[in-house]
Each structure stands twice: as structure tokens, then as C-alpha cells.
Amino acid sequence: MNGIILIDEDTKKVYIDIKGIAPYLNYYAHNGEYKVDSEDPNKCWVECNNETASFFLNSNKISKVEPNTNNDYEDYLITEPIISRNGKLYSTIEGIQIGFNIIFSYDEQANTIQIYTLPYLVNSYATSLKAYGYEGASQSFKNQKAILYNLFIVKKENNLYGVVNASGEEVISPRYRSIEFNETGKEFYVKNNLNKVGILTQTGDTKINLGYDDINMIDKQTGLYIVKNGTKYGVLDNSGNIIIHLEYEKIGIDTAVFSGNNVNNKYLLYGNVIPVCQNNKWGLFNTSGKLIVPVEFDELGCNQSNTNSNRKNVLLVPTYKAIVMGKVKDNDVRNYGIYNNEGKELVACALTKVYSITSGGVETYYMEYKGNTLDAEQYIKAHFPE
């Protein structure tokens, strides 16, 4: 592992070569960002069979996602940003532990490293958990990651699940049909015998009551959750209060349709906009629960551009934190408008198409109006100067 460790001369903080350490932990490492066609040396990502983790120069964020899925990225904030030295990206011990799912320690005086990988920890605790009277720890990768925080999802002979700490003390009693660990929030999604789901904290306290058919975290920073009962969806805050009532058939977008926009979170656009659909009509809420664009649009984004291979479907125009929305007339004619993330109309709903083209690594956004093709960003800049 020569050259893996770097100690900053000014701060004395310990940094680890991200790509350099990957092979020792049975990870593959790459330049660029996962799912983005790029060899950008200011970014890198690592992968194992169960997860990928992306690191970004000068960023305090690590983005993780299950590979080969359309799942949303989960973002983890670290204290110190990623740095670059001699063309290599380095992270602190904190970032390495998160990115690679390990426990890592470095003794500078002895110049020794101790690393405990997740598979090692699972095996090492298997015997003691059985001695405590449990069948063992959950074998799902998501649930195994609770071990990194000294918590174990365990099963009794009655096929009910609970959570214990490393000393075998019950944190959550084994009376739930299923438990899933949410690493982002350091919390547990629990399901009872009535198939209702709620959230318990890592200390066993109730965060969201068991009253829903399904729950998913929208975003850690906003502390919001999407919940489902029957066929209706809504949004709760971090304390279980209703932000958006459970009256919508859909919340969020199909990221596969707009893969060219690099949407990392299908529920949350620009960090503050939540798309909703009711009776096949789309609208936009902000994260405070205020309706900023009425629920009266037939389409979210413009996806007619696939007739031309050079054109990409467009939902977002990132420079202006803008969102494309469309209406369908009786004769099936589609018109599109562009709104910003505060609900302000930037372009009236009269466009026939909105699309983007990448040339020389530059993304340009176009809109068509009465047979004329206009640069969307230039138009917005001219009419809404900063």
C-alpha cells in the first residue's frame, strides 16, 4: 500500500488515494462519474457487486447507488472535501469509510493501517449473535451496512425481526415482519403484521408511525419522505407531518426518459421542486408544501425529440433552474412552456418542441416556436436578465 496514505503538511489530516486503495478492498475504480460518459480526472467512482460510489474534486459529497438500476442516488456529506495531489483524488478516512463500506484506522507512529471490511464484520459477529439467541444477522447488503454503525438487524425463530447493538442489547424488539436499514438517515423502515410501514430511529424511537403502505426518503438534506397508501402518494417531513396530502397518483418523474438531463433524484428537482400528478395532470410543489405551478399540465418535460438521434429529451434547463411542462390540445397538438424552480413562467406554453444537442462537449438547449428554432438559454437571458 505504498503511496496510498497522504498527510497534509499544514492541517496534518490523513488522506487516502481513492483509486489506489480500491483493489485492496475488492472494488474496481474508474475516472469520471457512474452512468456519465466521461473520463474526467476530477471525478472518480468505485464499484463492487452491490454498490457504486462517486467522488468529486473539491466536493463534500459522495453519491452512492445500486448498480444497473434506476434507483435514485443517495448523497452523503463528509466534513472535508475531496482533494487532488499528483493527478490523484484523495479523501479523508471519513469519506473512504463511507465510499467503501469499511472501518478504517491509521496509526501514524507505527505506520500501520487496520481495515475491517463489511464481509469480515458480518462473519466475525455471526457466532456472538447466535449466542444472544438470534438466528443471525440479515443477509441483505443494505441491512448489513448497519453493522458499520454497531447495529445488527436480527431474526428470531418466529421469523420476526429486530435490532440489537454489538453487546446484544435490544434496540428494536424482534416483532416486525421486516426491517430495512436506511444508511442515509441512519434509521430503520419497519413493517408490522398488518403490512403497514413506519420509521424507527437508531435508538428505537418512533419517527414516523406505522400507518403507510410504503415509505421512501426523498432527500436527507430536506428531511422529506414520500409515502403511499393504496394508490395515492403524499409527502411527510422529518417529524411525520404532512407536507403534501396523500391525493396524487404519482410523485416524481421517470428518470429513464430524461437520462440526458442527469437527474439524480426523481422526486426532487433542483433541491426544492417536487413534481406531482393527479388525474393525469402535472404540477409542481416546493419543499415547504406550496403549490408553485398548478396541476394542469399534461406532460412533464418534452420527450418528442427521439425522432432525431442527435436530439435529447429535455426536462430541465439547468442554467436557469428551469423545468419544461406541456399541454395537449384536442387535436393532439402539444405545446410546451418553461418555468423556473420558483414557479415563474420563463417561456409561455406555446412551444412545439424543446430539446438539447451535445456538440464538442457543450450542451445547447433549443426550442421551436412557429417553425423557428431558438436557443432557449439565450432567449431566457434576453427576457430575464440577471
Side-chain angles (χ1 to χ4, degrees):
M1 283 196 181
N2 291 335
I4 297 292
I5 300 292
L6 170 71
I7 301 178
D8 187 275
E9 294 181 0
D10 296 325
T11 64
K12 304 303 179 184
K13 288 184 169 59
V14 177
Y15 288 86
I16 296 96
D17 177 357
I18 299 168
K19 292 176 63 179
I21 199 172
Y24 295 99
L25 304 175
N26 294 319
Y27 276 71
Y28 294 99
H30 317 268
N31 280 342
E33 182 180 356
Y34 180 60
K35 284 190 174 180
V36 177
D37 295 331
S38 168
E39 290 295 322
D40 188 345
N42 293 325
K43 301 176 181 179
C44 72
W45 60 282
V46 298
E47 63 172 330
C48 64
N49 290 334
N50 299 294
E51 192 174 69
T52 74
S54 297
F55 300 80
F56 316 92
L57 178 63
N58 298 325
S59 174
N60 295 72
K61 180 182 75 172
I62 298 172
S63 296
K64 299 169 72 172
V65 70
E66 185 179 350
N68 304 315
T69 68
N70 289 323
N71 293 346
D72 295 323
Y73 285 81
E74 294 181 345
D75 292 335
Y76 299 78
L77 296 181
I78 55 177
T79 306
E80 300 294 332
I82 306 301
I83 65 172
S84 177
R85 295 290 187 274
N86 301 317
K88 299 177 181 179
L89 294 181
Y90 289 79
S91 177
T92 57
I93 291 174
E94 178 190 17
I96 293 298
Q97 290 186 138
I98 291 172
F100 291 94
N101 300 303
I102 60 173
I103 295 176
F104 184 106
S105 64
Y106 172 63
D107 186 329
E108 184 179 355
Q109 290 185 337
N111 195 29
T112 58
I113 294 172
Q114 280 190 321
I115 297 174
Y116 298 95
T117 65
L118 194 53
Y120 172 85
L121 292 169
V122 170
N123 290 331
S124 65
Y125 280 104
T127 301
S128 57
L129 290 175
K130 288 185 178 180
Y132 294 144
Y134 301 99
E135 290 189 3
S138 170
Q139 294 302 301
S140 82
F141 179 73
K142 273 189 174 183
N143 287 348
Q144 286 180 348
K145 288 197 288 183
I147 296 174
L148 300 170
Y149 306 93
N150 292 315
L151 295 169
F152 305 84
I153 297 176
V154 292
K155 183 171 70 171
K156 282 280 195 180
E157 294 87 353
N158 55 8
N159 288 323
L160 295 179
Y161 291 85
V163 176
V164 300
N165 61 23
S167 301
E169 299 168 334
E170 285 188 1
V171 177
I172 298 174
S173 60
R175 57 192 180 94
Y176 295 96
R177 176 170 289 184
S178 69
I179 298 181
E180 182 178 292
F181 180 60
N182 172 22
E183 186 188 10
T184 311
K186 312 293 188 300
E187 59 198 13
F188 297 92
Y189 294 9
V190 299
K191 180 182 289 186
N192 63 19
N193 286 326
L194 299 176
N195 285 323
K196 290 296 182 180
V197 180
I199 296 179
L200 303 183
T201 69
Q202 59 183 326
T203 57
D205 297 321
T206 300
K207 182 174 184 177
I208 294 179
N209 290 322
L210 280 77
Y212 302 95
D213 294 338
D214 197 16
I215 298 178
N216 285 290
M217 176 179 276
I218 289 180
D219 174 73
K220 181 181 179 181
Q221 277 64 57
T222 60
L224 298 180
Y225 297 82
I226 181 170
V227 293
K228 177 185 179 185
N229 263 338
T231 61
K232 302 295 184 181
Y233 294 86
V235 174
L236 306 181
D237 68 12
N238 207 30
S239 301
N241 301 312
I242 294 175
I243 298 298
I244 298 175
H245 288 278
L246 281 82
E247 13 181 87
Y248 297 93
E249 286 85 33
K250 294 180 186 176
I251 293 183
I253 67 166
D254 182 354
T255 55
V257 176
F258 302 103
S259 57
N261 269 185
N262 298 324
V263 180
N264 287 342
N265 190 324
K266 64 184 177 183
Y267 302 121
L268 192 65
L269 308 177
Y270 300 121
N272 76 316
V273 178
I274 302 172
V276 302
C277 183
Q278 184 182 55
N279 299 323
N280 294 317
K281 299 289 185 180
W282 288 94
L284 304 175
F285 279 88
N286 66 19
T287 49
S288 298
K290 178 182 177 182
L291 185 65
I292 59 174
V293 174
V295 185
E296 59 184 33
F297 292 84
D298 300 293
E299 294 183 351
L300 193 64
C302 179
N303 59 6
Q304 294 187 76
S305 55
N306 53 16
T307 55
N308 186 319
S309 59
N310 294 323
R311 299 180 178 182
K312 295 180 183 178
N313 299 337
V314 169
L315 169 67
L316 308 178
V317 183
T319 302
Y320 292 94
K321 293 187 176 181
I323 301 162
V324 177
M325 308 194 70
K327 292 183 177 181
V328 181
K329 296 182 178 179
D330 293 337
N331 56 3
D332 205 33
V333 172
R334 285 168 165 76
N335 289 134
Y336 298 93
I338 302 177
Y339 299 78
N340 71 9
N341 67 327
E342 297 177 350
K344 183 176 182 178
E345 183 183 84
L346 302 179
V347 182
C349 195
L351 306 173
T352 53
K353 284 185 181 178
V354 182
Y355 56 89
S356 70
I357 295 177
T358 304
S359 178
V362 177
E363 194 87 4
T364 305
Y365 294 84
Y366 297 98
M367 58 189 196
E368 294 184 3
Y369 175 67
K370 292 186 176 180
N372 297 312
T373 300
L374 306 171
D375 183 309
E377 291 176 314
Q378 289 184 5
Y379 179 89
I380 294 171
K381 182 178 181 180
H383 289 79
F384 297 94
E386 295 181 2

